[in-house]
Amino acid sequence: MSQKRIAIFGSTGSIGTQALEVIAANKDKFSAEVLTAQNNDELLVQQALKFNPYIVVIGDEKKYPKVKQALARTDIQVFAGEKALEEVAEMDAYDLMLAAIVGYAGLKPTLQALESGKPVALANKETLVVAGDIVMKKALEKRVPVIPVDSEHSAIFQCLVGETRNKIEKVILTASGGPFRGKKPNFLVNVKRDHALQHPNWTMGAKITIDSATLMNKGLEMIEAKWLFNLKPDQIQVVIHPQSIIHSMVQFEDGSIKSQMGLPNMKLPIQYALGFPHRIPNDMPRLNFRSMSTLTFEEPDIKTFKNLGLAIDALTKGGNLPCILNAANEIAVYAFLRNRIGFLDMTEVVEQTMVKIPFIESPTLDEYLDTDGEARSFAASLIQM
Ligand code: NDP
Ligand code: MG
């Protein structure tokens, strides 16, 4: 296998840094050719000096001189600003994009990669929540794969290997339940940022950690699954599985169920996506069934964790509603992380924005972009940001 040139969009994040560890451990298979960050110039420079990519991009243009100066003795090209992300995604400097930017900001560069005929390993689920139909249509038109990195979707993707002729009856997305599993609104109303940032099984970026605590993450993942695997809303079920050993399951037409299991470790789905279709040997810890006592399952508590219900509503109605949900949620999580609103207020912001912004049944890309803008301003006005 010749070396695959990887572009990591969002290299300074939780997914990005773990992907670089995978690349460092498999130098014969991969090289990091594009690295991007939004604010964290210091880590970006450190990564660039270690991996010697062809290009780095710093989102915050004010930081351009600092990054340029720090890399002056190298051949690494430095770009800055939001537009540069799209321009670099268009260049023939890489073979596969790892889309690991968080939030709506990942949409345009990912679309550009597909437009340029590049396969995408997708961590950035918001891209599919906002405009999944357009993204998947583009991938189909350009005949390039979108390989999931999200652990549940990687599990489903792995279960589907060798099953192209067989129909899926349903997929079962597992959820850990987050740090507040079993808690009720009278507890949640007082939850503060630092408590919500403590996830029992996974260490992740701040936004997805809060989404996991509210169960919005699972709702976004249902929408992500719809687009990745071409499913109807009622083919997607969520089950709480606190141990996070079964990463998700597929039930086929004959009632047979396949699952993918392992210790919770994002490096596994990351390396599967980078190496696909090949599995790559590693020395990461193994699951030992003899020392594991129980695997348990329960129904999600949608009455308490209303964000999951709102996401199911958006999934079912479709159109621009998932885009509205996502934009309002990004604003709400941002405000919660800055202690501007409470834990349960996040649901209020999302719900009110979903009611307010006009529904569009089959939006164009521009209509999605406008919807995002309108939903953000309305959500922000609710919080007086
Ligand atoms: P992080 O917050 O840790 O990292 C986000 C990355 O995106 C950073 O490199 C950050 O740069 C960059 N970034 C942030 N805002 C912007 C912006 N406006 N424009 C361009 N770049 C930006 O997030 P995670 O790594 O946790 O998550 C990344 C994506 O992967 C998310 O969509 C998440 O849902 C998904 N995912 C994550 C999992 C995990 O285990 N972490 C699991 C499954 C999915 P900087 O560091 O400079 O701010
Ligand atoms: Mg996940």
Side-chain angles (χ1 to χ4, degrees):
M1 195 163 74
S2 63
Q3 228 186 10
K4 211 183 269 181
R5 299 171 305 162
I6 312 292
I8 307 184
F9 279 62
S11 64
T12 49
S14 159
I15 294 287
T17 49
Q18 292 181 83
L20 282 172
E21 288 175 28
V22 169
I23 291 175
N26 295 280
K27 287 201 185 109
D28 54 326
K29 298 184 178 67
F30 307 116
S31 65
E33 295 299 343
V34 177
L35 301 176
T36 87
Q38 180 60 18
N39 298 302
N40 196 343
D41 56 298
E42 283 177 16
L43 182 55
L44 182 68
V45 165
Q46 219 177 301
Q47 292 177 338
L49 292 173
K50 179 164 176 198
F51 288 90
N52 194 28
Y54 181 55
I55 293 171
V56 300
V57 184
I58 179 79
D60 181 353
E61 294 181 45
K62 290 193 295 296
K63 299 206 160 148
Y64 173 80
K66 231 176 120 188
V67 176
K68 182 81 187 152
Q69 168 71 29
L71 299 177
R73 288 161 180 270
T74 71
D75 297 333
I76 303 167
Q77 295 188 45
V78 183
F79 294 87
E82 196 186 321
K83 202 82 197 119
L85 289 172
E86 277 179 82
E87 287 161 9
V88 169
E90 199 180 344
M91 292 180 189
D92 196 19
Y94 66 99
D95 303 313
L96 176 132
M97 172 192 277
L98 173 62
I101 288 177
V102 59
Y104 171 83
L107 171 65
K108 287 187 189 169
T110 304
L111 261 179
Q112 187 54 59
L114 294 171
E115 180 65 48
S116 309
K118 305 289 187 185
V120 171
L122 187 78
N124 175 233
K125 64 192 85 188
E126 293 91 346
T127 282
L128 288 182
V129 174
V130 171
D133 52 345
I134 288 178
V135 173
M136 295 312 288
K137 229 182 268 163
K138 184 58 73 190
L140 202 66
E141 178 195 321
K142 298 289 172 181
R143 294 168 184 274
V144 284
V146 176
I147 308 159
V149 170
D150 211 348
S151 59
E152 296 77 2
H153 306 74
S154 174
I156 294 167
F157 189 82
Q158 294 182 52
C159 290
L160 290 174
V161 169
E163 301 281 0
T164 41
R165 286 161 191 267
N166 295 321
K167 277 204 191 129
I168 299 173
E169 196 164 84
K170 68 175 180 194
V171 301
I172 302 150
L173 290 177
T174 51
S176 70
F180 307 129
R181 182 172 61 90
K183 300 291 190 216
K184 294 293 169 197
N186 60 356
F187 175 91
L188 295 175
V189 71
N190 296 316
V191 158
K192 293 284 177 285
R193 162 188 197 279
D194 291 344
H195 192 183
L197 281 172
Q198 310 284 319
H199 194 280
N201 302 350
W202 303 93
T203 308
M204 310 176 285
K207 196 252 174 186
I208 183 173
T209 305
I210 301 304
D211 283 344
S212 300
T214 63
L215 291 200
M216 178 58 95
N217 183 50
K218 213 46 56 178
L220 301 178
E221 290 185 355
M222 291 178 83
I223 301 169
E224 181 185 13
K226 166 181 163 167
W227 294 119
L228 279 171
F229 307 112
N230 195 18
L231 300 168
K232 301 215 162 46
D234 62 4
Q235 287 178 292
I236 309 165
Q237 194 183 60
V238 169
V239 65
I240 304 288
H241 166 47
Q243 298 81 15
S244 297
I245 295 295
I246 295 184
H247 299 311
S248 278
M249 302 177 249
V250 180
Q251 180 174 314
F252 294 93
E253 275 189 312
D254 58 355
S256 183
I257 298 168
K258 273 167 112 173
S259 74
Q260 186 266 337
M261 300 188 220
L263 292 172
N265 175 358
M266 279 311 295
K267 277 204 230 169
L268 270 179
I270 291 170
Q271 76 158 52
Y272 186 80
L274 297 187
F276 180 77
H278 305 287
R279 288 190 184 271
I280 301 168
N282 62 41
D283 54 9
M284 296 176 209
R286 273 20 181 184
L287 175 63
N288 179 357
F289 278 92
R290 291 185 177 179
S291 63
M292 191 171 58
S293 54
T294 39
L295 296 181
T296 58
F297 306 93
E298 59 198 62
E299 219 181 296
D301 175 3
I302 295 190
K303 270 207 192 121
T304 302
F305 295 91
K306 290 190 175 151
N307 278 2
L308 179 55
L310 291 175
I312 292 174
D313 203 29
L315 164 76
T316 312
K317 296 197 178 116
N320 63 343
L321 208 51
C323 174
I324 299 169
L325 169 101
N326 178 70
N329 183 57
E330 286 192 25
I331 296 291
V333 172
Y334 181 91
F336 175 74
L337 282 170
R338 277 151 194 80
N339 299 314
R340 302 281 296 271
I341 59 174
F343 190 83
L344 296 177
D345 298 333
M346 287 190 276
T347 302
E348 274 307 302
V349 171
V350 175
E351 189 166 16
Q352 288 190 37
T353 310
M354 285 171 75
V355 170
K356 174 77 180 181
I357 305 300
F359 180 72
I360 308 173
E361 178 116 37
S362 300
T364 60
L365 181 59
D366 282 339
E367 283 172 328
Y368 277 126
L369 305 184
D370 289 347
T371 296
D372 175 80
E374 285 168 36
R376 271 169 207 275
S377 347
F378 182 74
S381 75
L382 293 174
I383 303 164
Q384 279 139 20
M385 287 189 1

